[in-house]
Amino acid sequence: MPRKPFVPGAALVVAAALATGLTACTGGSGSDGEEGDAKSGGTSTSSQAAEPGRYQTLPEACGLPARGSLRGMLPGDGQHLSRDEAKKIYDGQPDITYDTDRRVGCRWTRETTAGTRHLSLDIQRVVSYDAAVSDDDKAQGIYDGKALAAKIPSGGNGSPSPADPSPSATKDASKDEDKGAGKDAGTGTTTNSSTDKKEKAPSGSPSGTSAPATDPSADPSADLSDSTAPRVLDDLGDAAFLNDKLVTADSGVHRDVTVVFRTSNVIVTLTYDQWSTDKTMLPESQELQDKARSLAGELSESLSE
């Protein structure tokens, strides 16, 4: 029986076709799988990576407050200032920091015969190095630690803030408290304005002073609707609170008003205090609070621009 002729070309075509089909199936499957993993991984990473904060740098602290605001907060009781004296007072003294993109500050002081006023500003930019925690959330944790340390009531019900900050946030807040209160440590006793609210100074009293303190809570007929007690502020930044302390020391008496607010990943701490060598002439709480809140609002607007 005759043998069929062998056609090498046809065999090569068939072999090539089989090889191409096998490669296409294997390669196509691998390519699709890798592309899917990459997209999935990218999507997963994107969904888990927290948003960065709005602020990547910080402004120069001493230049933030308007000169007119500083004049109002550091009155001279009619005292005339030379150009050099005014420049020294209102230009402020910048805090020494090692990274001005992470923290800046400034201090102003004016002494008069009636007493001394101090204004300090601390601005901190918070960065979270945890991919699952945003800069804003990290900043909120630090802010909560400050509110908790100051025992600020929440929701107007007189109970402490329910915030449960991380240990690091609480530690940072404690350091800031110690830094701000260092000059007062061991010099006297401290009371909140909720227990030391005073009658307004009679007509003719020196500006920023009042009559000896009285406790309105002891008077059933007293109107407490305009309480200046430490409290949460609802109209400033993303979160804010105000603290008010009256401190009696051997050298005199001073009232410290602190406003802390957070805007995105920046926390601003403004401290405004007035010292009086006459313990019977207490610094006026309402005046100091109004000026501190006004400046805090000005700073918030400047940071938002």
Side-chain angles (χ1 to χ4, degrees):
M1 201 175 163
R3 301 178 63 180
K4 293 183 179 180
F6 177 69
V7 184
L12 290 175
V13 171
V14 173
L18 290 174
T20 301
L22 181 60
T23 302
C25 292
T26 305
S29 175
S31 176
D32 290 343
E34 291 176 3
E35 183 177 358
D37 290 343
K39 289 183 178 179
S40 176
T43 303
S44 176
T45 302
S46 177
S47 64
Q48 291 180 5
E51 289 292 329
R54 173 181 178 181
Y55 301 96
Q56 302 301 313
T57 60
L58 289 175
E60 195 275 315
C62 292
L64 271 183
R67 185 58 62 95
S69 299
L70 292 175
R71 290 196 186 99
M73 300 184 78
L74 304 169
D77 298 328
Q79 179 185 23
H80 175 71
L81 293 175
S82 67
R83 178 176 297 181
D84 290 341
E85 290 173 332
K87 178 176 176 59
K88 181 178 179 180
I89 291 174
Y90 299 125
D91 282 0
Q93 181 66 39
D95 291 345
I96 298 176
T97 60
Y98 297 100
D99 187 350
T100 55
D101 281 337
R102 292 294 299 273
R103 195 159 203 158
V104 295
C106 192
R107 299 174 184 276
W108 298 263
T109 301
R110 185 165 189 182
E111 299 179 2
T112 67
T113 55
T116 304
R117 297 205 186 196
H118 303 272
L119 172 65
S120 66
L121 183 62
D122 177 82
I123 306 176
Q124 177 184 4
R125 184 175 70 90
V126 180
V127 178
S128 172
Y129 295 101
D130 186 345
V133 179
S134 69
D135 292 348
D136 286 18
D137 289 342
K138 177 70 173 179
Q140 182 64 39
I142 295 176
Y143 166 86
D144 289 340
K146 290 176 177 287
L148 195 64
K151 300 180 180 179
I152 302 299
S154 62
N157 56 10
S159 60
S161 171
D164 185 15
S166 64
S168 60
T170 304
K171 183 177 180 180
D172 291 342
S174 299
K175 288 182 179 179
D176 292 337
E177 277 294 307
D178 294 341
K179 179 182 178 182
K183 62 183 178 182
D184 301 328
T187 60
T189 57
T190 302
T191 57
N192 285 335
S193 64
S194 57
T195 59
D196 61 27
K197 193 180 175 188
K198 309 162 294 304
E199 295 176 352
K200 290 185 177 180
S203 176
S205 297
S207 173
T209 61
S210 66
T214 59
D215 186 358
S217 63
D219 181 5
S221 62
D223 181 11
L224 302 180
S225 59
D226 62 340
S227 173
T228 55
R231 61 197 180 277
V232 170
L233 302 177
D234 297 326
D235 57 350
L236 182 62
D238 296 317
F241 69 82
L242 180 148
N243 200 14
D244 189 329
K245 296 179 181 179
L246 183 67
V247 182
T248 303
D250 293 338
S251 58
V253 61
H254 61 97
R255 180 174 293 282
D256 304 335
V257 173
T258 303
V259 177
V260 179
F261 70 89
R262 178 185 73 83
T263 173
S264 185
N265 61 319
V266 164
I267 299 175
V268 178
T269 301
L270 184 160
T271 304
Y272 182 40
D273 62 72
Q274 179 181 357
W275 287 68
S276 174
T277 55
D278 186 350
K279 296 182 181 180
T280 66
M281 306 301 288
L282 303 182
E284 175 61 39
S285 180
Q286 190 66 62
E287 180 212 355
L288 296 180
Q289 287 197 21
D290 287 346
K291 290 182 177 180
R293 289 191 63 181
S294 178
L295 179 58
E298 177 185 320
L299 297 176
S300 179
E301 290 181 3
S302 296
L303 290 171
S304 299
E305 292 177 353

